[in-house]
Amino acid sequence: MNMNTADFESMLHSGGYKLTAQRQAILEIIQDEKDKHLCTEEIYDEVKKAYPRIGLATVYRNLQLFEKLGLVHHIMLDDGCMRFQILGSQEKHQHHHLVCEVCGDVIDVEEDMLELFEKKLLSEMGFTVKDHRVQFFGICKKCTYKK
Amino acid sequence: MNMNTADFESMLHSGGYKLTAQRQAILEIIQDEKDKHLCTEEIYDEVKKAYPRIGLATVYRNLQLFEKLGLVHHIMLDDGCMRFQILGSQEKHQHHHLVCEVCGDVIDVEEDMLELFEKKLLSEMGFTVKDHRVQFFGICKKCTYKK
DNA sequence: AAGTAAATGATAATCATTTTCTTTTACAGA
DNA sequence: TCTGTAAAAGAAAATGATTATCATTTACTT
């Protein structure tokens, strides 16, 4: 499932970028915590366990790079920071997110359901959809049944 | 269509808030520019034409208040600021936004299309949707046929 | 092994937003 | 209409996430 180092290296090299230990470490964190939605600072804290000397700017820079390469996507909830997540290679679009207003959990939903709508947007409004971002806010199962 | 002063006043008073000239001025701007998606600073610049002495913090504070009262909603595109828009009184949910990656225009789409999906989220995952936020990124009609 | 472009780390800068605090204002009650 | 008071406004400082700068180090080409 996880991308191996050789693939990562060739992906970097084809864009003129270099394979560094820091980049590998950052990628590993995001891969390992794929169900979490870590923000830059949280990723920084994790990476520091392996690379105590890494700087926060390096994490910011590389997350931007990873997004440009299509490796990750960011979401913005309303807590004032970007949260990053690995983008599966087979996903055409970013998946949807359910945000529980009680516990704050973020749940991924792979099912798209928007293809028909996007066709309508093209035929009726002439708007060609390249990507979408969908967030549902509400109450998760756990919090519904909790006392 | 626009809310009158008496309604605005009673809405404020029922929450223990006061009717101020600044609040009226801010509300008017947002109502007048309902198809735009102004950010706080832009609203501030507009309001200053009528109230040169108003402070930026006042605009921030009142936009927060208006959102709490359900008068406006904010969207976050990726330009690093909150953009505000009047929420029609008949809308259950925030409407969807089409963001053109070429010209940057933001187009509103009133049609919901998600009711069925939200029912599925409840029955299959136990997640109760209270609100959603949907953005489509792509190319608008104008930019598709330009040149 | 050497040269070079790219990356890193440290730090300062930026920019949107929030907080603090003093002054002003809206409005309820006399 | 006048007065007291809680809320709001204005100004300025503080905060916090993100970005830019720059000297040093590193990855990779030849």
Side-chain angles (χ1 to χ4, degrees):
Chain A
M1 196 70 180
N2 283 4
M3 162 174 277
N4 63 47
T5 305
D7 287 346
F8 186 42
E9 180 167 28
S10 71
M11 174 175 247
L12 287 168
H13 284 184
S14 61
Y17 305 107
K18 294 172 180 173
L19 178 68
T20 66
Q22 291 89 332
R23 281 178 179 161
Q24 288 183 81
I26 295 169
L27 183 65
E28 258 172 49
I29 298 296
I30 307 173
Q31 281 177 331
D32 291 351
E33 311 284 345
K34 60 157 50 192
D35 42 323
K36 299 257 185 67
H37 301 75
L38 302 176
C39 68
T40 315
E41 204 101 16
E42 288 165 346
I43 293 168
Y44 172 63
D45 289 341
E46 281 301 310
V47 177
K48 261 205 302 204
K49 292 177 186 170
Y51 273 82
R53 307 205 27 161
I54 200 171
L56 181 55
T58 300
V59 179
Y60 272 98
R61 276 187 292 240
N62 284 314
L63 288 170
Q64 261 185 211
L65 175 64
F66 290 177
E67 185 141 37
K68 195 161 71 180
L69 295 175
L71 280 172
V72 303
H73 252 94
H74 74 265
I75 55 174
M76 305 214 43
L77 309 177
D78 277 346
D79 52 0
C81 62
M82 281 186 169
R83 298 187 168 276
F84 288 86
Q85 197 176 23
I86 279 282
L87 186 67
S89 53
Q90 75 293 346
E91 295 177 63
K92 280 180 305 201
H93 291 305
Q94 193 178 165
H95 52 251
H96 309 329
H97 292 101
L98 311 182
V99 184
C100 179
E101 290 170 343
V102 179
C103 64
D105 265 11
V106 181
I107 303 156
D108 297 331
V109 179
E110 299 294 341
E111 191 177 356
D112 192 316
M113 285 288 284
L114 293 176
E115 278 126 2
L116 184 66
F117 193 32
E118 290 173 2
K119 276 189 192 131
K120 273 186 80 172
L121 291 178
L122 180 58
S123 63
E124 293 178 12
M125 305 189 60
F127 189 95
T128 309
V129 176
K130 298 286 187 186
D131 198 5
H132 56 226
R133 196 184 286 171
V134 182
Q135 299 169 2
F136 295 96
F137 298 89
I139 302 168
C140 75
K141 194 175 195 171
K142 217 169 52 191
C143 289
T144 303
Y145 295 112
K146 195 190 319 174
K147 239 233 323 322
Chain B
M1 196 68 181
N2 284 4
M3 162 175 277
N4 64 47
T5 306
D7 286 346
F8 186 42
E9 180 167 28
S10 70
M11 175 175 246
L12 288 168
H13 285 185
S14 62
Y17 305 107
K18 294 173 180 174
L19 178 67
T20 67
Q22 292 89 335
R23 281 177 180 161
Q24 289 183 79
I26 294 169
L27 183 65
E28 259 172 47
I29 298 297
I30 308 173
Q31 281 176 332
D32 291 352
E33 311 283 346
K34 62 158 47 193
D35 41 324
K36 300 258 184 66
H37 301 75
L38 302 177
C39 69
T40 316
E41 203 101 16
E42 288 164 346
I43 293 167
Y44 171 63
D45 288 340
E46 280 300 310
V47 177
K48 260 205 301 204
K49 293 177 186 169
Y51 274 82
R53 306 204 27 160
I54 200 171
L56 182 55
T58 299
V59 179
Y60 271 99
R61 277 187 290 240
N62 284 315
L63 288 170
Q64 262 185 211
L65 175 64
F66 290 177
E67 184 141 38
K68 194 160 73 181
L69 295 175
L71 280 172
V72 302
H73 252 92
H74 73 265
I75 55 174
M76 305 215 40
L77 308 178
D78 277 345
D79 53 0
C81 62
M82 281 187 170
R83 298 187 169 277
F84 288 87
Q85 196 176 24
I86 278 282
L87 186 66
S89 52
Q90 75 293 348
E91 295 177 62
K92 282 180 305 203
H93 291 306
Q94 194 180 164
H95 52 252
H96 309 329
H97 293 102
L98 311 183
V99 185
C100 178
E101 291 171 343
V102 180
C103 65
D105 265 12
V106 181
I107 302 156
D108 298 332
V109 179
E110 300 294 341
E111 191 177 359
D112 191 316
M113 286 288 283
L114 292 176
E115 277 126 2
L116 184 65
F117 192 30
E118 289 174 3
K119 275 188 192 132
K120 274 186 78 171
L121 291 178
L122 180 58
S123 63
E124 293 180 11
M125 306 189 58
F127 190 94
T128 309
V129 176
K130 299 286 186 185
D131 198 4
H132 56 226
R133 195 183 287 171
V134 182
Q135 299 169 1
F136 295 95
F137 299 88
I139 303 168
C140 74
K141 194 177 194 169
K142 217 170 50 192
C143 290
T144 302
Y145 295 113
K146 196 188 321 177
K147 227 208 8 340

